[in-house]
Amino acid sequence: MVHIRIDPTGSRARSADLESYQKVEDLGQDLKICVDGGYEHFSHAGEFQKDGHEVVAVFRWSGRTKIAE
């Protein structure tokens, strides 16, 4: 597991809806979070930030899709 930081810029999701997503298994895989009847998509483009003594991968918002009915 890798610690990540989500950058919700551009997303309509509230940051409180995204806080529980802290880890991902594969940096090459997009993160898809179910929020308000749709999915917020985030992807990693190789950016990392230092947070104290820990390095975290930054996932940036890449789009939104609706849940199919």
Side-chain angles (χ1 to χ4, degrees):
M1 294 279 197
V2 176
H3 289 279
I4 67 168
R5 175 172 290 128
I6 297 173
D7 179 358
T9 304
S11 170
R12 292 182 287 167
R14 298 173 302 140
S15 60
D17 293 332
L18 305 174
E19 285 182 20
S20 62
Y21 295 86
Q22 301 295 326
K23 295 182 181 180
V24 67
E25 301 227 2
D26 179 7
L27 292 178
Q29 189 172 21
D30 286 350
L31 183 61
K32 182 168 79 168
I33 302 170
C34 185
V35 179
D36 295 330
Y39 291 104
E40 298 294 323
H41 298 266
F42 297 85
S43 59
H44 182 253
E47 182 181 352
F48 292 89
Q49 292 179 350
K50 191 160 179 140
D51 185 10
H53 295 292
E54 183 176 35
V55 176
V56 294
V58 178
F59 276 65
R60 297 201 182 275
W61 183 77
S62 58
R64 177 176 172 82
T65 55
K66 290 184 178 181
I67 295 175
E69 293 187 27

